[in-house]
């Protein structure tokens, strides 16, 4: 703002040096909106600048600089009236107005009365035309700001944007400049959403609802600061500040010296691109008309080659970090997580996965009651029922040929309760135990926890489960896993390792001294990653689903030959068995055929008794 005053001092100096006598006072008028953000800053800055000029007698050689400030109360009409008042007095120049619309109207009067009109906030591109020779601005022309935005849109590879703007000369001319720059970069404005200058919250909500129904999610907001704040508040209320939306607003600018071109624009416009995150911000990079986008402050000479264009990563609405898009796809053991879906599109999972806990295990000593360990009381009752059922089936099959399944009923019941083999099997199995029972026991303690370096397990443990980051130990290779688990917490190792189940099972396949303890405590999967909005993600997902529904399952017709052979073998075996039994029965009990019902019943009973006999007796 002090630079603005120095420009006016030069104008005033030119006025009174052309006169025969040096005036005692140089009057300058100022038109501000005191309640606006720009107006509040400008008022303080102008007062401080005037004090600096008047405190140095070498500047105006004893002439006093006097500035009168008037409040136009956001009214264009009041601004015009105040400007006419200044022009009718002895004011040699006017600072303001802030609005491009008011500045455009006053520029016609400035031409007639030959009064310089200097603005630090009117950015309408058409104000630099030859028809307004008395208008000078110390802010950058919107023509350059829109060129910067167009370069950013091209940088991220977007083809269509939505423009939200104020429906006056300032907004219309700015968006027109944006459309020209986008067209030169093979992009376009797909939808224009104008707001009336006096738009309230209801007007803004109606416009944003229509915007939300459009296909594009890239929004360029070109409004006054106060309206822009309301737009962001309403957008947040409507959920438009979440994942999937990208906003490009007015950018801050910095310049290096106040030098003007022949069309009264500041030379070498340089913009600082700011990424607003919550209540804070960070610098993403710079833009200039001679170097384009860069992460360092541009210096001449510069190369505007597209290969040199770069920006720091940006956090978009919804806390999503937009990707460098250097690759068309990523294939591997990539876990599908919420944070990753904000940066890329994933296919349907091709394998199920989840986080598990891997810990060392130790052998428990066996005892006489070890057989009771595997099951609960209810499980033992259910198992007993199935043991009885299975024993009965075995008895039927073994009754004719196995002496162990013959004899008095009491002996056969005891035989059916054949638990000896099961008990022996349980007693010979080593019982295993671990001090770590699962993720809950890890959360209660304070021992170190290992994780695969680069895995999402670290972020999940810290952000979702609240594990202190100092407890986490990154590990790379399976050998590192084994060493850390063997060393244990007391010798610089870890108590357990958290990793995805497929990776854990692969590690355990060659190391029986460790095991998965506790249940799987997350549910996700592995998928292929693609850039956002890539059509390849949909095609790949379709292929995976088709494979899982058709190629991944086995139908009857594919095993028809195998089932036919098995069925034929069973049928032949049964046919041979019953043929043999009927042949032996006819040899032993050769009776003439009779049609008497009692005779047939007696014959059937005799056949069943024959089948029940032991095989040696039948042969005898």
């Amino acid at each position: 703002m002090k630079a603005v005053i120095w420009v006016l001092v030069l104008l005033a100096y030119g006025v009174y040096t052309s006169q025969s006598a040096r005036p005692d006072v140089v009057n300058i008028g100022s038109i501000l909106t005191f309640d606006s953000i720009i107006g509040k800053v400008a008022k303080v800055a102008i007062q401080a600048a005037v004090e600096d000029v008047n405190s140095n007698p070498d500047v105006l050689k004893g002439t006093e600089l006097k500035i009168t400030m008037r409040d136009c109360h956001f009214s264009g009409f009041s601004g015009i009236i105040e400007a006419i008042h200044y022009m009718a007095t002895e004011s040699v120049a006017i600072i303001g107005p802030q609005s491009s619309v008011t500045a455009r109207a006053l520029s016609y009067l400035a031409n007639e009365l030959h009064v310089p009109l200097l603005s630090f906030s009117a950015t309408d591109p058409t104000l630099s035309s030859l028809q307004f020779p008395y208008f000078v601005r110390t802010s950058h022309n919107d023509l350059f700001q829109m060129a910067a935005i167009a370069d950013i849109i091209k940088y991220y590879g977007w083809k269509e944007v939505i423009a939200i703007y104020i429906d006056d000369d300032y907004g219309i001319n700015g968006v027109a400049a944006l459309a020209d720059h986008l067209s030169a970069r093979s992009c376009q404005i797909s939808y224009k959403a104008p707001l009336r200058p006096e738009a309230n919250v209801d007007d803004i909500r109606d416009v944003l609802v229509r915007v939300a129904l459009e296909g594009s999610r890239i929004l360029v907001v070109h409004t006054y600061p106060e309206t822009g704040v309301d737009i962001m508040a309403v957008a947040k209320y409507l959920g438009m500040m979440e994942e999937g939306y990208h906003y490009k607003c007015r950018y801050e600018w910095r310049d290096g010296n106040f030098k003007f071109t022949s069309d009264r624009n500041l030379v070498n416009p340089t913009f600082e691109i700011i990424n607003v995150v919550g209540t804070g911000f960070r610098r993403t990079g710079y833009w200039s008309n001679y170097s384009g986008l860069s992460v360092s402050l541009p210096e001449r000479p510069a190369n505007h080659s597209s290969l040199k264009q770069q920006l720091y990563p940006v956090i978009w609405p919804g806390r999503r970090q937009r990707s460098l898009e250097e690759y068309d796809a990523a294939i591997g053991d990539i876990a599908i997580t919420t944070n990753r879906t904000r940066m890329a599109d994933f296919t349907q999972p091709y394998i199920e996965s989840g986080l598990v806990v891997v810990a060392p295990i130790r052998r428990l000593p066996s005892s006489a009651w070890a057989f009771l360990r595997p099951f609960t009381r209810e499980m033992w009752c259910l198992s007993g029922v199935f043991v009885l059922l299975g024993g009965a089936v075995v008895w039927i099959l073994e009754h004719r040929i196995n002496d162990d399944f013959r004899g008095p009923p009491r002996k056969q019941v005891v035989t059916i309760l054949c638990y000896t083999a099961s008990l022996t099997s349980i007693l010979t199995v080593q019982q295993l135990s671990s001090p770590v029972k699962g993720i809950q026991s890890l959360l209660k303690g304070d021992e170190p926890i290992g994780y695969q370096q680069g895995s999402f397990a670290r972020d999940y443990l810290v952000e979702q489960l609240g594990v202190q980051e100092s407890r986490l130990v990154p590990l790379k290779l399976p050998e590192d896993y084994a060493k850390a688990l063997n060393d244990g917490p007391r010798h610089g190792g870890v108590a357990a390792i958290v990793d995805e189940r497929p990776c854990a099972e692969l590690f355990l396949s060659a190391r029986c001294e460790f095991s998965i303890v506790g249940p799987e405590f997350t549910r996700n999967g592995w998928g292929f990653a693609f850039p956002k909005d890539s059509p390849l993600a949909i095609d790949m997902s379709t292929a995976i689903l088709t494979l899982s529904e058709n190629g991944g399952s086995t139908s009857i017709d594919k095993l028809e030959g195998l089932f036919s052979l098995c069925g034929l073998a069973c049928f032949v075996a049964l046919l041979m068995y019953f043929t043999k039994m009927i042949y032996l029965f006819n040899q032993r009990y050769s009776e003439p055929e009779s049609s008497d019902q009692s005779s047939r019943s007696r014959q059937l009973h005799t056949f069943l008794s024959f089948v029940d006999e032991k095989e040696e007796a039948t042969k005898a």
Side-chain angles (χ1 to χ4, degrees):
M1 185 59 63
K2 290 184 179 181
V4 175
I5 300 300
W6 280 106
V7 172
L8 290 176
V9 167
L10 294 177
L11 292 174
Y13 183 80
V15 171
Y16 70 71
T17 53
S18 63
Q19 299 175 354
S20 58
R22 183 185 300 271
D24 295 330
V25 178
V26 174
N27 294 308
I28 296 178
S30 176
I31 304 172
L32 304 174
T33 300
F34 291 169
D35 291 337
S36 67
I37 297 176
I38 296 177
K40 292 177 181 179
V41 174
K43 183 178 181 181
V44 176
I46 290 175
Q47 291 173 343
V50 171
E51 292 178 2
D52 289 346
V53 171
N54 290 332
S55 63
N56 188 350
D58 295 332
V59 177
L60 294 180
K61 309 299 182 181
T63 300
E64 180 184 2
L65 178 63
K66 184 178 180 181
I67 294 185
T68 304
M69 290 183 283
R70 299 290 182 90
D71 188 1
C72 67
H73 302 285
F74 294 96
S75 172
F77 178 76
S78 297
I80 294 174
I81 296 299
E82 296 295 343
I84 294 175
H85 173 77
Y86 284 137
M87 293 179 183
T89 62
E90 295 181 353
S91 297
V92 298
I94 297 175
I95 299 178
Q98 296 175 207
S99 168
S100 294
V101 176
T102 307
R104 185 180 183 86
L106 291 178
S107 294
Y108 292 102
L109 295 175
N111 288 348
E112 295 295 329
L113 300 177
H114 303 285
V115 177
L117 188 67
L118 189 145
S119 176
F120 50 85
S121 59
T123 58
D124 184 352
T126 60
L127 289 174
S128 295
S129 62
L130 298 178
Q131 63 177 322
F132 303 125
Y134 284 88
F135 176 81
V136 180
R137 59 175 145 211
T138 57
S139 63
H140 279 303
N141 188 335
D142 273 346
L143 197 67
F144 300 110
Q145 296 194 37
M146 296 307 173
I149 293 177
D151 272 350
I152 293 173
I153 291 171
K154 181 181 179 182
Y155 174 82
Y156 288 110
W158 300 324
K159 297 299 182 183
E160 295 182 346
V161 301
I162 293 176
I164 302 175
Y165 60 97
I166 295 297
D167 193 17
D168 56 15
D169 290 340
Y170 161 75
I172 294 173
N173 295 331
V175 170
L178 174 63
D180 292 339
H181 285 295
L182 288 176
S183 178
R185 292 161 177 79
S186 300
C187 305
Q188 64 176 349
I189 298 177
S190 62
Y191 182 77
K192 293 182 179 180
L195 286 166
R196 62 189 183 92
E198 301 82 13
N200 55 30
V201 174
D202 292 333
D203 297 329
I204 294 173
R205 182 172 57 249
D206 293 341
V207 168
L208 290 184
V209 168
R210 293 197 302 268
V211 166
L213 297 177
E214 296 297 317
S216 177
R217 290 294 182 266
I218 317 300
L219 311 181
V220 177
V221 181
H222 181 60
T223 63
Y224 301 117
E226 294 77 10
T227 308
V229 172
D230 291 337
I231 288 175
M232 294 303 170
V234 175
K236 183 176 181 180
Y237 174 79
L238 295 176
M240 298 175 67
M241 299 297 288
E242 302 297 328
E243 176 185 351
Y245 286 87
H246 314 287
Y247 287 84
K248 286 295 169 190
C249 302
R250 292 284 300 276
Y251 291 89
E252 300 295 332
W253 61 269
R254 288 184 176 182
D255 208 327
N257 299 316
F258 273 82
K259 297 180 180 179
F260 294 89
T261 62
S262 58
D263 56 357
R264 302 177 310 286
N265 284 318
L266 291 176
V267 299
N268 304 332
T270 301
F271 294 88
E272 183 179 13
I273 304 174
I274 300 299
N275 179 205
V276 178
V277 184
T279 58
F281 66 89
R282 63 177 185 170
R283 181 185 302 113
T284 302
Y286 299 90
W287 180 92
S288 71
N289 64 336
Y290 54 87
S291 65
L293 301 173
S294 63
V295 295
S296 58
L297 191 62
E299 296 181 0
R300 285 181 176 269
N303 183 9
H304 200 165
S305 171
S306 59
L307 297 178
K308 300 289 185 179
Q309 306 298 291
Q310 57 180 331
L311 293 173
Y312 288 122
V314 170
I315 298 180
W316 301 109
R319 309 290 299 182
R320 191 180 87 182
Q321 290 187 343
R322 249 311 261 183
S323 55
L324 297 180
E325 297 186 354
E326 295 181 356
Y327 300 96
D328 294 325
I331 297 176
D333 54 343
I334 306 173
I336 304 174
T337 64
T338 302
N339 289 336
R340 290 176 178 176
T341 56
R342 293 171 178 168
M343 295 184 288
D345 283 342
F346 282 86
T347 63
Q348 290 289 323
Y350 61 85
I351 189 173
E352 294 298 325
S353 179
L355 292 179
V356 294
V357 177
V358 177
I361 54 175
R362 59 186 177 89
R363 296 179 176 85
L364 293 178
S366 298
S367 66
W369 299 100
F371 68 93
L372 294 177
R373 287 177 183 157
F375 305 126
T376 61
R377 182 181 304 175
E378 293 78 9
M379 190 64 184
W380 276 114
C381 294
L382 184 61
S383 299
V385 173
F386 277 91
V387 167
L388 291 174
L389 180 61
V393 173
V394 172
W395 179 85
I396 294 173
L397 296 176
E398 298 287 332
H399 179 64
R400 295 191 73 252
I401 60 176
N402 194 334
D403 291 335
D404 293 333
F405 288 85
R406 304 188 66 83
R410 181 178 180 181
K411 177 184 176 183
Q412 298 190 42
V413 170
V414 173
T415 303
I416 289 176
L417 299 175
C418 51
Y419 181 66
T420 304
S422 300
L423 177 60
T424 303
S425 175
I426 293 176
L427 290 176
T428 55
V429 174
Q430 291 289 344
Q431 302 300 307
L432 305 177
S433 178
S434 172
V436 179
K437 304 303 180 183
I439 188 61
Q440 294 301 325
S441 62
L442 283 179
L443 296 178
K444 294 178 181 178
D446 58 356
E447 296 177 323
I449 304 173
Y451 69 94
Q452 183 182 15
Q453 187 171 357
S455 170
F456 77 97
R458 174 193 171 279
D459 293 338
Y460 185 86
L461 290 172
V462 174
E463 298 175 4
Q464 302 296 327
L465 301 183
V467 178
Q468 295 181 355
E469 193 169 355
S470 59
R471 294 181 57 191
L472 301 181
V473 179
L475 303 171
K476 294 183 179 180
L477 303 175
E479 292 76 13
D480 300 332
Y481 278 30
K483 184 178 185 305
L485 290 172
N486 286 325
D487 291 345
R490 297 182 179 180
H491 300 89
V494 298
I497 292 175
V498 174
D499 202 353
E500 297 179 75
R501 177 175 287 277
C503 297
E505 291 177 346
L506 180 63
F507 166 72
L508 296 174
S509 63
R511 294 171 175 83
C512 58
E513 68 270 26
F514 312 116
S515 178
I516 294 176
V517 294
E520 187 175 292
F521 58 93
T522 64
R523 296 294 297 174
N524 50 30
W526 289 353
F528 303 139
F530 295 88
K532 274 294 182 181
D533 302 323
S534 172
L536 295 176
I538 300 177
D539 295 339
M540 187 64 73
S541 293
T542 303
I544 292 174
L545 290 175
T546 302
L547 181 63
S548 62
E549 293 173 358
N550 300 324
S553 60
T554 303
S555 57
I556 295 178
D557 56 348
K558 295 182 179 179
L559 297 178
E560 184 178 355
L562 178 61
F563 283 121
S564 299
L565 290 176
C566 291
L568 180 61
C570 292
F571 176 76
V572 171
L574 289 175
L575 181 63
M576 293 176 63
Y577 176 78
F578 281 106
T579 300
K580 176 182 177 182
M581 295 303 297
I582 293 173
Y583 174 74
L584 293 176
F585 177 76
N586 289 332
Q587 281 189 331
R588 184 172 179 179
Y589 302 96
S590 55
E591 294 182 0
E593 294 184 0
S594 174
S595 60
D596 184 66
Q597 184 69 26
S598 60
S599 176
R600 289 186 176 182
S601 176
R602 185 173 59 255
Q603 191 176 14
L604 178 60
H605 183 269
T606 304
F607 178 75
L608 293 177
S609 299
F610 173 77
V611 173
D612 184 57
E613 291 180 356
K614 192 175 181 184
E615 189 172 0
E616 287 78 1
T618 302
K619 292 181 179 180

